[in-house]
Amino acid sequence: MSQTTNQKNIQLIRGFKDILPGETELWQKIERTAISLFEDFGFREIRIPIMEKTELFARSIGEDTDIVEKEMYTFADRRGDMLTLRPEATASICRAYIQHKMAAQDPVRKFYTIGPMFRRERPQKGRYRQFYQIDAEIFGVAAPYADIELIFMLRTLFDRLDVTDTTAHINSLGCPACRPRFKAALAQLLSEAAPKLCSDCNRRKERNPLRVLDCKVPGCREAMAGAPSILDYLCADCRAHFATVTDTLSRLGVPFEIDKQLVRGLDYYTRTAFEIQTGALGAQSAVAGGGRYDGLVESLGGPATPAIGFAIGFDRLAEIIAAGAPVTTRPPDLFIAALGETARQQAFEWSVALGVAGIGVSMVYADKSLKAQMKQANRQNAGRVLIVGESELAAGTVVLRDMASKSQQEIPVKGLIDHLVKALC
Ligand code: AMP
């Protein structure tokens, strides 16, 4: 279709991005590494829809969070039902756990899922409106071993991907038994600090005072620098839980820092909260985050089920790795240079047979000179080139050229596929 000059090309939506060949190889490598590790640790894949009823996120993430207040892509569908593109995966996994009555067969479940999330944040490097997360969750385990296992698994994944410039930050957010005492202590400071706090924090300090600790606005950070530590207010159970997490991580050689400012942006967390931070990403320092949410399944109408999970920012992880080592695309194992239509037809049939046999083949479908085709083979970094013209076909032999050594050999057309599969595999 022809395009008039005053028509503008359609661009993608602000904050969304394409992940192109050249990048996808790295994404696949990260995905393979994560899946293989998670499966070894007994996690099973769950795939959840990218859209849910708005109420699910409002009830789980919390009405008074940035995500629910201003970042969700929410709309009424044609019948007026309010739907939301998922801003995170945990709520949907809880919904599936409850809906499919998983607790009835075995309450202990380990899940992972990988996919896109949507938040209407202000786009910048490392922050997108459609971004991807690699997510893992453990349901039905109250013991701190689940917390340790997840943090250990994250560490191992980052090691396997050679991502070393990271620190695990850990805190405990207490439980409904001990958190109110901390909130009361915090309230005193918050009322004194009110003039220095941003408008969001002034609004939140009554309804969700912990979130003020998490605010990134410099004035708020300064005002909260002397805030009491929640760790001083933990009940005996929460204290013992946190001590097992930190002691065991130390014994396993997992480095971490206790970070009393870490509260995470979502309402549902209890006890252990953690974040993997890196210096490699500028302002967007969190490459993964997670925590325990012992009350969430029950609050969504399911059986009382302790649970904990994490989400890795896939885009950010890929950016860190790509900055350290540019990815190279896989060259074809074989380039077939065919001259003339009969040879091209034959070459095409060989190329599909070789593709089925697991050999990566490239060829030109148009009528091009041998010189142009050899140039193309070079550009694609092909290791070998098979040269076939009408005269080769008539003689029953083709030429196989090794591009590195420049040596050539003649191969009979009869049994060619078997020969090539043996030579190239
Ligand atoms: P959260 O669900 O907010 O705990 O986020 C978990 C991880 O997802 C973060 O540590 C980030 O690495 C990543 N993440 C969150 N929001 C975005 C975004 N808008 N763009 C890119 N990555 C994000």
Side-chain angles (χ1 to χ4, degrees):
M1 219 195 299
S2 74
Q3 217 182 15
T4 57
T5 45
N6 59 2
Q7 255 180 333
K8 270 185 44 192
N9 288 335
I10 298 167
Q11 306 283 312
L12 47 60
I13 308 167
R14 189 165 128 81
F16 287 57
K17 65 183 175 139
D18 300 311
I19 302 156
L20 303 176
E23 298 170 273
T24 46
E25 291 82 358
L26 174 60
W27 282 64
Q28 288 170 356
K29 178 184 158 191
I30 294 172
E31 227 166 65
R32 276 196 305 270
T33 311
I35 290 173
S36 134
L37 177 70
F38 295 175
E39 299 261 347
D40 286 348
F41 273 75
F43 287 71
R44 307 269 310 277
E45 186 180 14
I46 181 166
R47 296 194 188 196
I48 43 180
I50 60 161
M51 224 192 277
E52 298 271 2
K53 292 187 178 153
T54 304
E55 192 192 350
L56 174 68
F57 301 116
R59 269 173 60 189
S60 57
I61 297 170
E63 298 276 3
D64 197 31
T65 55
D66 283 351
I67 294 180
V68 174
E69 269 179 355
K70 51 189 183 196
E71 294 172 358
M72 295 201 307
Y73 282 95
T74 295
F75 60 95
D77 82 352
R78 287 172 188 273
R79 284 195 23 206
D81 296 328
M82 294 311 291
L83 304 178
T84 294
L85 289 178
R86 63 181 185 191
E88 53 105 52
T90 305
S92 303
I93 299 177
C94 288
R95 193 230 356 101
Y97 181 85
I98 298 166
Q99 182 168 348
H100 301 288
K101 299 193 170 45
M102 296 197 202
Q105 296 136 30
D106 180 1
V108 179
R109 302 287 177 126
K110 294 170 162 186
F111 301 113
Y112 69 88
T113 196
I114 302 176
M117 309 296 155
F118 304 85
R119 294 183 196 170
R120 204 177 184 291
E121 296 191 79
R122 195 168 51 77
Q124 61 183 82
K125 186 168 165 43
R127 201 206 276 153
Y128 310 100
R129 290 179 171 177
Q130 175 177 331
F131 59 98
Y132 290 74
Q133 286 187 337
I134 302 174
D135 192 275
E137 318 275 344
I138 302 179
F139 284 73
V141 180
Y145 298 114
D147 316 31
I148 300 156
E149 182 175 352
L150 284 177
I151 297 168
F152 182 83
M153 207 166 73
L154 263 178
R155 179 82 240 162
T156 309
L157 176 63
F158 282 43
D159 283 348
R160 285 193 185 171
L161 292 167
D162 290 324
V163 176
T164 47
D165 177 20
T166 55
T167 322
H169 288 240
I170 303 182
N171 196 15
S172 174
L173 304 180
C175 68
C178 54
R179 207 183 307 178
R181 286 200 308 129
F182 175 66
K183 280 187 175 170
L186 199 57
Q188 171 72 25
L189 174 71
L190 288 175
S191 64
E192 286 162 19
K196 294 188 202 144
L197 299 178
C198 71
S199 55
D200 276 348
C201 284
N202 261 302
R203 196 161 29 82
R204 287 190 179 133
K205 71 184 191 330
E206 312 298 334
R207 290 168 60 187
N208 196 353
L210 282 190
R211 289 295 321 284
V212 181
L213 290 171
D214 193 39
C215 183
K216 303 287 184 283
V217 174
C220 299
R221 288 205 85 91
E222 204 179 298
M224 299 315 289
S229 168
I230 191 165
L231 297 175
D232 294 332
Y233 290 80
L234 297 181
C235 62
D237 285 349
C238 286
R239 213 175 318 126
H241 187 101
F242 193 58
T244 308
V245 172
T246 52
D247 291 352
T248 312
L249 285 175
S250 301
R251 265 207 301 286
L252 291 172
V254 176
F256 64 88
E257 276 174 26
I258 294 178
D259 182 348
K260 68 184 175 92
Q261 301 277 107
L262 181 77
V263 299
R264 315 258 311 122
L266 286 57
D267 267 6
Y268 52 58
Y269 288 115
T270 50
R271 291 196 168 164
T272 314
F274 53 95
E275 216 164 72
I276 308 291
Q277 297 183 3
T278 168
L281 283 172
Q284 304 309 316
S285 60
V287 68
R292 194 166 259 289
Y293 47 95
D294 288 344
L296 182 58
V297 174
E298 192 175 19
S299 79
L300 290 172
T305 308
I308 178 164
F310 67 64
I312 301 170
F314 200 155
D315 311 69
R316 293 185 190 174
L317 182 57
E319 276 164 29
I320 297 172
I321 298 172
V327 205
T328 46
T329 47
R330 177 189 160 190
D333 302 311
L334 181 73
F335 187 97
I336 310 183
L339 292 161
E341 188 50 39
T342 314
R344 198 156 35 248
Q345 167 89 29
Q346 177 61 81
F348 176 72
E349 286 170 25
W350 288 337
S351 81
V352 293
L354 287 165
V356 169
I359 308 282
V361 182
S362 175
M363 67 173 283
V364 179
Y365 295 142
D367 192 19
K368 288 270 160 67
S369 69
L370 181 61
K371 196 171 157 205
Q373 295 191 55
M374 293 308 279
K375 252 193 186 161
Q376 178 105 341
N378 258 324
R379 252 202 313 273
Q380 293 180 3
N381 260 329
R384 326 264 177 114
V385 178
L386 191 75
I387 302 164
V388 51
E390 321 274 290
S391 54
E392 280 84 1
L393 281 184
T397 56
V398 288
V399 173
L400 183 64
R401 181 178 169 85
D402 185 305
M403 297 296 272
S405 67
K406 299 197 166 47
S407 61
Q408 299 198 157
Q409 62 177 125
E410 288 198 348
I411 307 172
V413 167
K414 196 160 180 287
L416 178 74
I417 300 294
D418 286 347
H419 181 103
L420 289 172
V421 168
K422 274 199 205 97
L424 298 173
C425 263

